[in-house]
Amino acid sequence: MLEYAPAARRAVCFEAAVAGGAPIIPALGERLAANQVTAIQGILNGTSNFILTAMAERGLSYADALAEAQRLGYAEADPTLDVDGSDAAHKLAVLAQIAFGVAAKPHEIERHGIDTLDDMDIRFADELGYTIKLLAEAWTDGPQVALHVAPVLLRHTNLLAQVRGAYNAILVLGDVVGETLYQGPGAGQMPTASSVVADLIDLAVGRAQRTFAAAQLWSKASKGFTVEPAERVRSRFYLRLLVADRPGVLADITRILADEQISISSVVQHESPEGGDGVSVPLVIVTHYAETGRFRAALARIDRLPVVAAPAVFYSMGD
């Protein structure tokens, strides 16, 4: 529909489709027209952000935080699309098209949700000075754009780390203006209604027709960007393992990481309880930047070690 609208002299308005009360669609389509956007980093699902805030600040379990979100009307009876990252991936696909001209289908975007997040990782992240947020991210790497949706560790001082409750926020980096931030309520009927009425007003005064035609969204004309394969994306990683508490375990794991050219930034392992010989204990490793493909290759080998009691848990780290 969107590609055929200009030929039919029609406009399609969809501000309410992304970020609720945060005006990111007009910002990317109009206000930042003098810029080539180089990065987008956003909290695009208010339900997930409400759940993560409740877990981090009030110590609620995932199940209890989700139940509260449903009671308050932030989460649907079936919250799957919110908590597994699908909703944020759909919204990221829209933003990537506007900013980069990249026609990525939502199922092509690497995504992980918060539905498997363990509160243990929230506590370890806090100990390291980080907050976990479900982020939708797009950034340029030369002529390619990396896209992914996943829980990410952000330093406590990061602006997005401080976005609480059912709010959305999107940080946009432009080559001229620099860093801009857009924030607003992201879940609930009134923020959505506000965006819908704004579209109706734009249509009534003729503004939407002009800006939609000028934007050339979903046209065959490309801005020259393609999607970067997920395995080539570089990141720092948080890695949490459950391992046997005995000599040589850390050496075995670090040897595998070294084989894949992955350097370690820090290690956290709490003292095991008295008389805890043979029990499994959590081991947290923070890496320096590494290619995602090599990191996952290392994890496949680590998970096969007899001293590892459960599959590895890992998240990207944003700095």
Side-chain angles (χ1 to χ4, degrees):
M1 176 180 67
L2 288 164
E3 61 265 40
Y4 300 121
R9 297 183 180 179
R10 294 292 185 269
V12 179
C13 297
F14 49 91
E15 182 178 341
V18 181
I24 187 60
I25 299 297
L28 287 177
E30 304 166 35
R31 305 307 177 194
L32 296 176
N35 292 258
Q36 172 56 62
V37 172
T38 58
I40 297 171
Q41 188 179 52
I43 297 169
L44 298 181
N45 187 271
T47 301
S48 291
N49 201 53
F50 177 88
I51 292 170
L52 290 174
T53 302
M55 293 176 71
E57 295 184 1
R58 292 189 280 144
L60 295 188
S61 67
Y62 169 78
D64 288 343
L66 173 58
E68 183 173 343
Q70 290 173 319
R71 180 175 59 82
L72 294 173
Y74 296 143
E76 303 287 345
D78 180 0
T80 302
L81 294 179
D82 289 321
V83 299
D84 75 355
S86 296
D87 175 72
H90 281 81
K91 294 170 180 176
L92 182 61
V94 174
L95 299 184
Q97 169 61 227
I98 298 171
F100 307 109
V102 171
K105 294 180 174 59
H107 70 268
E108 297 172 338
I109 296 175
E110 181 90 0
R111 66 171 175 82
H112 302 278
I114 65 166
D115 46 342
T116 59
L117 182 65
D118 193 309
D119 55 6
M120 181 192 310
D121 296 305
I122 291 179
R123 294 194 301 271
F124 273 119
D126 182 65
E127 184 177 332
L128 291 164
Y130 290 80
T131 300
I132 297 180
K133 293 292 185 182
L134 181 68
L135 291 190
E137 298 184 286
W139 66 93
T140 56
D141 183 10
Q144 294 189 309
V145 178
L147 302 170
H148 84 116
V149 173
V152 174
L153 275 71
L154 298 175
R155 292 191 187 276
H156 290 325
T157 53
N158 185 290
L159 290 174
L160 293 179
Q162 299 172 46
V163 177
R164 304 173 61 254
Y167 271 73
N168 283 181
I170 307 95
L171 189 150
V172 180
L173 188 64
D175 61 352
V176 178
V177 71
E179 188 175 279
T180 58
L181 181 69
Y182 307 86
Q183 182 174 342
Q189 60 183 3
M190 296 310 291
T192 303
S194 174
S195 297
V196 171
V197 172
D199 279 340
L200 292 173
I201 293 171
D202 281 350
L203 283 168
V205 301
R207 184 164 49 236
Q209 292 85 333
R210 294 193 301 271
T211 56
F212 183 79
Q216 296 184 320
L217 299 178
W218 283 270
S219 71
K220 294 183 179 179
S222 170
K223 293 185 179 181
F225 292 105
T226 58
V227 177
E228 183 171 34
E231 63 270 13
R232 288 178 49 192
V233 174
R234 292 178 58 81
S235 176
R236 295 178 66 218
F237 291 98
Y238 161 98
L239 168 63
R240 194 254 299 161
L241 302 164
L242 287 177
V243 299
D245 186 19
R246 63 187 195 217
V249 171
L250 182 59
D252 291 341
I253 292 168
T254 56
R255 187 178 304 112
I256 291 174
L257 292 172
D259 289 345
E260 294 294 339
Q261 304 298 306
I262 298 168
S263 177
I264 293 174
S265 173
S266 64
V267 176
V268 176
Q269 183 175 6
H270 293 162
E271 185 176 1
S272 60
E274 287 292 330
D277 292 345
V279 302
S280 295
V281 295
L283 172 67
V284 172
I285 295 174
V286 175
T287 76
H288 290 295
Y289 278 91
E291 280 194 1
T292 299
R294 302 202 75 158
F295 180 75
R296 287 180 175 170
L299 292 194
R301 293 176 57 193
I302 289 172
D303 279 344
R304 291 196 295 269
L305 291 174
V307 294
V308 176
V313 173
F314 69 95
Y315 299 110
S316 294
M317 304 182 72
D319 291 310

